[in-house]
Amino acid sequence: MPDTTQSGTAYRAWIAPLIATVLTLPASLFAFVFAGLTPMACDSCNGAEADRFTAGFDTAYAVLRVGLGVAFVLLLVGWCLPWSARNAVPRWVLATLAPCTVLLSLLVFASMVPWPS
């Protein structure tokens, strides 16, 4: 049972969104840096291999941006939920899903990129 004050607002309800923010924002920055450096893997590519890499990278980068956008929306909703005791569980769920979404997006991005051999 979450701690509540007499007015029904959840006591320490800000902890879950804060932890999620501290984990999600640096992970998102890392994901963007990783995605930004990924095209260097195909610096020596030419012709058909470069075209294949570019097409795959463009699709994978779009998926990464959508995934990071979803993570940001999850964070925002977690912070914007009313600070009542009945929203404690949804707040914790959203706080857990935000960093997991970043990790999943990065893994999907890395698996979608056609890495040069």
Side-chain angles (χ1 to χ4, degrees):
M1 194 86 185
D3 295 332
T4 59
T5 62
Q6 291 179 354
S7 65
T9 59
Y11 183 65
R12 289 184 250 162
W14 52 272
I15 293 175
L18 179 66
I19 292 171
T21 302
V22 167
L23 292 174
T24 302
L25 293 182
S28 297
L29 177 65
F30 172 77
F32 266 125
V33 169
F34 179 76
L37 294 176
T38 297
M40 286 198 226
C42 199
D43 277 348
S44 62
C45 299
N46 55 18
E49 188 178 23
D51 293 338
R52 183 178 63 87
F53 179 82
T54 301
F57 174 79
D58 290 343
T59 304
Y61 190 68
V63 169
L64 178 70
R65 287 188 315 200
V66 168
L68 294 180
V70 168
F72 177 72
V73 168
L74 289 171
L75 273 180
L76 189 63
V77 171
W79 277 108
C80 293
L81 280 176
W83 300 103
S84 63
R86 72 181 179 100
N87 288 326
V89 173
R91 186 173 287 110
W92 277 96
V93 169
L94 292 170
T96 304
L97 286 177
C100 292
T101 303
V102 172
L103 180 63
L104 180 66
S105 299
L106 186 59
L107 291 175
V108 169
F109 169 80
S111 67
M112 286 180 69
V113 172
W115 300 99
S117 51

